[in-house]
Amino acid sequence: MARLSDSSGASDGDEPSGDEPNDNEPGDGAARVSVDGVEKEFPGERGPVRALDGVDLDVADGEFVCLVGPSGCGKTTLLRIIAGLEPPTGGEVRLNGEPVTGPGPDLGVVFQEYHLFPWRTVAGNVAFGLERQGVPEEVRERITSDLIELVGLDGFGGAYPSELSGGMKQRVAIARALAVDPEILLMDEPFGSVDAQTREMLQGELLDVWEETGKTVVFVTHDVEEAVTLADRVVVLAANPGRVREVVAVDLPRPRRRTDEGFVEGVERIRGLIGD
Ligand SMILES: Nc1ncnc2c1ncn2[C@@H]1O[C@H](COP(=O)(O)OP(=O)(O)OP(=O)(O)O)[C@@H](O)[C@H]1O
Ligand SMILES: [Mg+2]
């Protein structure tokens, strides 16, 4: 069953979820992220490359969506277009009903290569967006230390990125993305460069954060098991041209175990779709 939301209106009047647990159901039917007929063509040496060809996708408030697909199918391009870092050559992306025209404060972005500022401490990295927004120092410090605790880096606020492991850097990148309290988190293979054990730990931590904050997450991964561990829905993209192949709903309770029958079935089905 695909839980598709309608792509209408911005006026969902939502409140921060507060003490209400995130029950992982899409909110009230209003799409947070609305991708409508998005096309992207890049100039290439042997003619134009159709990176995305008519991609439609609605992501509901509080939903966790994973994008998977073969290398070159346009996952990063789609995420960059949603983030307003790249204009589409056709179609439109709306966030809460508003067309995206450039990077905005509603979004936090985490890439595979952490992109931390090496000359800033952990706290300085996390506080970066807040400084840019002119948030007063005391408030900044409170938010920063809360987030450092949330991502499990208590005691490392004064450390520099060069003193951290890959997994710790990735936690800093996540805390930094969360600092400005964006409604939507966009993550492009954020755990691609850490070892398997750290990756599983980070997946669990990300799910905890998601459940605590009720953020809407769009998460790109190569790893089908990672997608089935995390997502409410897995969007399988096909390449040449990049398009949505199928959307697979993952109706399994969390935490999910990789050995569960439903989990294994989901993984096999998605692998089949990617491989075809
Ligand atoms: N700036 C660019 N200029 C030209 N072509 C590009 C550019 N960015 C992406 N492409 C092309 O668009 C297609 C999609 O690339 P994209 O990076 O979005 O794929 P992807 O699904 O993220 O791949 P991967 O899984 O390897 O990260 C590819 O054919 C790529 O070569
Ligand atoms: Mg990519």
Side-chain angles (χ1 to χ4, degrees), residues 86-155:
E86 186 100 61
T89 42
E92 189 178 54
V93 175
R94 276 165 287 141
L95 303 182
N96 299 322
E98 296 292 320
V100 172
T101 52
D106 288 349
L107 287 165
V109 186
V110 181
F111 294 104
Q112 177 169 1
E113 324 76 27
Y114 332 106
H115 294 304
L116 300 181
F117 305 112
W119 59 88
R120 282 179 169 241
T121 61
V122 167
N125 268 282
V126 176
F128 176 73
L130 298 169
E131 284 174 29
R132 271 210 322 195
Q133 289 185 350
V135 174
E137 191 174 351
E138 295 154 52
V139 181
R140 230 161 53 207
E141 279 176 6
R142 183 177 47 74
I143 296 173
T144 302
S145 72
D146 285 355
L147 280 170
I148 289 174
E149 193 185 324
L150 182 74
V151 297
L153 286 177
D154 239 359

Side-chain angles (χ1 to χ4, degrees), residues 5-81:
S5 63
D6 82 76
S7 58
S8 63
S11 54
D12 52 10
D14 67 306
E15 298 289 328
S17 52
D19 50 14
E20 219 173 87
N22 184 339
D23 61 5
N24 305 341
E25 287 299 325
D28 47 20
R32 264 274 185 264
V33 181
S34 210
V35 176
D36 195 7
V38 160
E39 298 181 10
K40 182 71 185 182
E41 203 168 82
F42 289 109
E45 277 170 23
R46 284 168 291 141
V49 176
R50 288 198 70 68
L52 296 171
D53 189 30
V55 172
D56 296 316
L57 173 68
D58 282 347
V59 184
D61 181 18
E63 198 181 11
F64 200 128
V65 166
C66 283
L67 307 181
V68 300
S71 189
C73 70
K75 302 180 293 294
T76 295
T77 303
L78 180 57
L79 213 68
R80 287 177 53 81
I81 290 172

